[in-house]
Each structure stands twice: as C-alpha cells, then as structure tokens.
Amino acid sequence: MAEETGNDNQVVQGNEIVQSNEEAQAEEVQGDELVPAEDLTQGDEVQGNELVSAEISTPPTLRRRRKKSLVWEHFTIEAVSGGATRACCKLCKQTFAYSSGSKIAGTSHLKRHITLGSCPKIKNQEHKLALTPAGGTDNDGEGTVERPSKRRYRYTGYANAAFDQDRSCSCLAKMIILHDYPLHIVQQPAFTTFIDSLQPRFRVVDVETMEGEVYAVYQKEKENLTQAFSTMPGRISLTIGLWTTSQTLGYVSLAGQFIDSEWKIHRRMLNFMMVSSPHSENALSEAISASLSDWNMKDKLFTITLDNDCSSHDIYSANLRDYLSNKNNLMLKGQLFVVRCYAHILNAVAQDVIASIHGVIYNIRESIKFIKASPTREEKFAEIALQLEIPSTKTLCLDVTTQWNTTYLMLLAALDYKQAFSTLETSDDNYNEAPSAEDWKKVEAACNYLKLLYDSAHSIMAAANPTSNLFFHEAWKLQLELSNATGHEDPVFSSIAKDMHERFDKYWKDCNLVLAIAVVMDPRFKMKLVEFSYSKIYGVEAAKYVKVVDDAVHELYKEYVAQPLPLTPAYVEQGEGNNAPASENSTQTTAPSTGDGLVDFDMYLSEIATSQPTKSELEQYLDESLTPRIQEFDILNWWKLNTLKFPTLSKMARDILAIPMSMVSSGNSIFSAGTGTRMLDDYRSSLRPEIVEALFCAKDWLQYSPATPEAPSTALVKVDAP
C-alpha cells in the first residue's frame, strides 16, 4: 500500500522511497548535452529490466543537464540500435534498460543491483544503501519530528567493500602477536562485543583456532625469511639468550645477524626453543645445531655471542667450540667463535660499583623520599640550596633500581646538594639520613667511574645498527682508564677501580682479538689504531700483542682466499685473481710495443713485473692511506663501493662487520640489570612450546614485513548541504 509523505513529490512503497516524476526528471540526465524537454518523460518506471513509460508532454524548452546519481561510478551508458541506450555494470558487464529513444528510465533498479548484492561480482559482500533525509530527526533519533529534507539524501553504501573472514582472522592473529595480547582475548566478552559492533558478520573464533592462525602467520613469515637466507652472500653470526620459567624448564632464544647483498645489516630471530636445562652447555650446543639445521645454515655459522656470566664463560666457550667445530667449519680455528656481550659487561661492572656503596645509596634514596614527601619540605630544601648558593640545576629524583643509569644520575644530582643535605639534618629533627663526608667521597668515586660506563653505553646507542668496528674504540679506552685508575692515590678511588678493572680485564682478554680485527676492517683506522691503542695499554710489550692481531688478520684472509670466490651471483664475473693490481700488471706485461724504439724498455718493465710479486688485496688495503675520518662515514657503503676492488677481502669484511658484539642494539635495555637470564611469564610458560616460539619469532619478523596496502575505498557517499 502506498503512503504519501509530507512532501508531495515523494511516494513510499513498502520500505523504499520512490521519487516523483518531477524529481526523477531533475535528477536523471544524459551527460551535459542539451536535451529538449519534450524528449524527457515523466512518470517513468522500471519493471525488471524493461522500460515502461507513461508519456506526459511538457512545453518545449532546452535545459543543460548533468548526471548527479552516484550509481554512474559503477555504470557506463552504451548505445544500442534504434537510438536506445542501456546501462552497463562495470563489474559484471550486465546491462539494464536506460533509455528508449525519447524515453528515459530512473536509476532505482541500478541502485538495487549494486547495493542489494544482485551483482554476482560483489555477491556475499556487505552492502548498505541508507536513504536518510539530510535533516535527520530530532531528539537523538527517538522522536518522530523531521526537519525539512529539501529532497536531498545522503547515500552510504559500501558496494565493493569486501568482507573476508579468513583475512580478518589473520589480521587479528597479527595484532595478538605484535602487541603481546593473550590468545584468550577472543573469549573476553568486551572484545567480542567490540568486534560485533564493527562487523557483525565476523565469527570470533575460539582459542584453539586462534593458535592455528598464529602458527599460520609464523609459518608464512618463516618461508619469507628462508627465501631471504637463500640469497645471503656471507656467513651469519648468532646471539644466544637464556630464559627460565617458574617450572623446571627453560628456553633458548637464537637470533642471527648478517649483512645482505646490498650491504645492509640485519638481525632476525631464528628460534625460541624449549630445553630441559638452558644453563647446560650440552643443551645449548644441541639447540644451536638444531637451529642451523632448521635454517639450512650449517656451513654459514661465523660466531656466537653470549650474555652469560664471566664465571661460566670459559666452560661455555670450550664446550661450544669443541662440539660445533666437529659439525661446522669454524674460521680461524674457532678463535673468534665465542664473543661476549659488551652491554652485559658494562652492566655487570656498573652493578659491582653500585653494590660497593649500597649503604650510601640507601641513605640517599631515603633522603630524597623524605624531601619529596611534601611540598613544604621541597620548598625548605630549595631555600637551603639557595642560601648555600649551590649552582646546580639538577633535579633530585629517585632511581629505577633495575636501570643503573638512573642510579648514576640520582647520585650525580645528590652529590651537588651534599651541603644542603647536611644543613637540612641540622635544621630538621625528623631527618637523620644525611650521608657523612666519607660517604660522599665514595659517591664521588662511584660517579667518576660510572660516567665512563655511561658514556660508553651512549656511544654505542648513538648508532641505530652498530657494526662490530665501533666497539673497539669504547673497549680499549675503558680498559686503559680502569688500568690507570687502579693506581689512584686515594684508596677509596683505587679500591673501586681495582674491582672494576678485574672484571673488565677478563672481558678484554677474551675479546680484544675479535674487537681489533673488526676495527682493522675500518678503512679510517686499519692496523694504525691497534698499534696506537696497544702502545698505550701494554707499553713496551705492545709489539707482541700487535703481532698477534696482524697474524690473525692475515691467516683469516688466507682462509677466505682458499674459498671459491663467486659465493653469490654478484661475483660471477670476478675471479680470485681479478683484483685491480693484478689486471693492471697483466696489462703492462702484455702490452704490444708502440713502435717508438723502446722495445728494450718494455722488456725491462716486464722483468720488473715478474720479479716483484703482486700484492694481495689485504696488503694493498693495509698499505693504502687511511680514509679521512668524517662524522657521517658509512663503513658498509664504503665496502659496497669497493667490492670490485677487493672482491675477496670484502667477503671477509662482510662477515666480520656483522658480528654482534652486543646483544642489545638500542634503547634503555642497554642499561638493564637483567641482561643475563630472563624469566618467561606464567602465561607464556603455560602455552605449548611451538606456540611460544611462533609468538616470539613472528613478532620479530612482522616488524620488518612490508605493510599491506589499504584497499581503495569504493563507498558511495554523498553529503548534501542542509
């Protein structure tokens, strides 16, 4: 039954608003051409796909018309015989009646084709066509009073916006992985209500199904990474992390660092494996072997970096080297194989310093708590500092006990206000935690040495992706400073320095060779910085230690020479002897005489070239002048540009510069006291091991996956003026 609305030009049939003849005439036009009004029809209706028209003549006038309906974004007009035209769907190519000579149809049947799922190309998609008067309703939609609509409407239809249950589930799995959400979030009522409000057709899956989705994401990303590894031109170095649980089991995390064919450095998580005893070197060796087999990289292992304590480092090194050398071809007989984490040694030394004055630190913390307890006390302390004319602008603040840098900054600020603390104690009977003069001397000594560690850590953090050559600069300066500090005339200073040096000297002895070889690969320093720094550290015995480094560099180079040069297709046209000097000498010895009467001279040149052996790439590199030291020097780009000049040496440089000297690349975690064994939370410990591995690894891999491009919006949206 038809119902008339407040507007005489509208008729409601069922739930559909049908425009009257006059409005249809105003809306539907043919392009921008001038159409005689008598050629337009009023009262046109469409039954099925056929045009039925009731002709009503109008005075002959000319009007310029243009298409307004948004359906023309999805339809084109095609001419047929007899002067008629039909509307053709851009998606399914189905045609519909539009005009028959002088008779023009409306667009309601075209709208229904797009928005109601009649088009087979967009069937089973969500379509909405809301014809809401632009004026809307008053009273928050609860009333029935309508504003004048002026016969204008807002169309909101997502004609081509596809809904894909599988794609949505995969996106949900990635969200859970990237943000560490628990898998049982899919069962939380608030979450399911939220999802239903966004897309009622999405079927929220159970926990078991979501586990499968997470594992599917992991498998897909693993395939992509495996493909990337297949084109890796050099070797890979591993970092090993140890995790414990509240149970008796533990986990081992393995990450690989390498430099790709474009000379870009990468670090990727490889495995997160459950082991019965993570602190057992046998279990660790087996985990490393299993990982290398899993990724088909048994012949590409270069070094491993550990974050374990000094006490067990020798045992780990010996057992790992013995176990893995039987299964892998270790370079330089395994001398560079086990590397200790630089960030860990900084943290360990810093914690030793803090522990040596823990009593004083306690008093300072309690003092700051007392002052910060009320605004009145803060004002009083500020007045005392002003009266004493203390020039410091530092702010007193409590430290985070697990971040040693915050403890250092707290002590540094408190040291400036030491007189103010003493004055406060004499003027306030409620305060009795002021450190003594001897205590402040301990704080001064601790801050003096913590600054060395603090500055060194910040130098490493300054590089987004630090290459191994950067660490020698920090390590040798720290070794020299601590060695000299042990002879400090003040026993308070020398006592702290001796404890620090004892621990750091163990690291220096274990790692100075790999650190030195790495800096030799820096064209700004080569062997020159090794010679200079060793002369400072070892004095008259420096030459002996320099020779150890020089011999190791040459021996390692020989091992690379023995390998077939075309390790990757990038070197296909380069032979082992095709470096620049060899080709130049070849040109000189085989060049024909120019006919200038100097045949004897040519023979002389040939004899010289024969009697003088060609320099190796390594010798040529070391003999060349140092590259100027500029602030923005990019060492990887330098080797990329010099690969053709040093084809064999560049292979060696690629592997050495990729050694992860620190397991922590950036951020505050470099100051964390917990860089050793970490604890896996109870929730993750309760999951199956393969799901734990999928969550950890996929989170790392997804950070580097290319972003999925957003599908272009195809919504029909028309916002009319009120």
Side-chain angles (χ1 to χ4, degrees), residues 53-73:
S53 175
E55 297 186 37
I56 300 177
S57 62
T58 57
T61 59
L62 290 177
R63 300 172 61 186
R64 181 175 295 277
R65 304 285 175 79
R66 61 183 180 84
K67 290 183 175 64
K68 296 180 180 178
S69 177
L70 294 177
V71 300
W72 298 116
E73 294 180 9

Side-chain angles (χ1 to χ4, degrees), residues 199-372:
Q199 175 53 270
R201 297 175 61 189
F202 179 72
R203 300 185 305 278
V204 180
V205 298
D206 56 24
V207 174
E208 185 176 352
T209 305
M210 186 48 60
E211 281 188 354
E213 292 290 342
V214 167
Y215 200 75
V217 172
Y218 161 77
Q219 289 282 34
K220 181 178 179 181
E221 294 300 323
K222 185 175 182 179
E223 291 175 3
N224 295 338
L225 188 55
T226 301
Q227 180 63 31
F229 283 153
S230 67
T231 61
M232 184 175 65
R235 290 175 173 257
I236 192 168
S237 292
L238 302 181
T239 62
I240 314 296
L242 305 179
W243 295 70
T244 59
T245 67
S246 56
Q247 305 164 346
T248 58
L249 299 175
Y251 282 85
V252 173
S253 63
L254 297 98
Q257 186 158 300
F258 61 97
I259 294 174
D260 64 16
S261 58
E262 294 298 317
W263 286 88
K264 302 295 183 184
I265 193 167
H266 304 276
R267 183 182 294 188
R268 296 290 186 273
M269 180 77 79
L270 299 181
N271 295 94
F272 195 85
M273 308 169 67
M274 188 182 75
V275 294
S276 57
S277 178
H279 292 279
S280 165
E281 58 271 13
N282 290 333
L284 191 59
S285 299
E286 292 171 1
I288 294 172
S289 292
S291 177
L292 294 174
S293 298
D294 184 27
W295 292 96
N296 193 27
M297 291 191 296
K298 283 188 173 182
D299 297 328
K300 291 192 172 184
L301 178 61
F302 192 56
T303 66
I304 61 171
T305 302
L306 301 173
D307 63 355
N308 58 293
D309 293 330
C310 300
S311 58
S312 60
H313 178 76
D314 291 337
I315 300 175
Y316 266 77
S317 299
N319 289 344
L320 286 173
R321 188 180 295 111
D322 293 343
Y323 183 90
L324 293 172
S325 61
N326 296 328
K327 300 176 179 293
N328 304 272
N329 181 25
L330 301 183
M331 305 297 290
L332 209 59
K333 298 179 182 180
Q335 292 185 64
L336 311 179
F337 182 56
V338 180
V339 181
R340 290 181 57 195
C341 174
Y342 185 74
H344 177 78
I345 191 62
L346 290 184
N347 292 332
V349 175
Q351 291 302 323
D352 286 348
V353 175
I354 291 172
S356 68
I357 60 167
H358 68 278
V360 184
I361 293 177
Y362 173 82
N363 287 343
I364 291 175
R365 285 191 185 122
E366 293 300 313
S367 298
I368 295 175
K369 288 178 184 177
F370 178 84
I371 295 170
K372 297 289 185 179

Side-chain angles (χ1 to χ4, degrees), residues 145-161:
V145 180
E146 296 183 359
R147 303 190 191 98
S149 67
K150 297 183 181 180
R151 292 179 297 181
R152 294 193 176 109
Y153 301 92
R154 180 182 293 109
Y155 297 88
T156 57
Y158 295 87
N160 292 334

Side-chain angles (χ1 to χ4, degrees), residues 80 115 155 217 253 403 484 545 614 620 645 655:
V80 295
T115 60
Y155 297 88
V217 172
S253 63
Q403 299 286 332
N484 293 338
Y545 293 96
T614 304
Q620 181 188 353
K645 184 178 181 181
D655 294 341

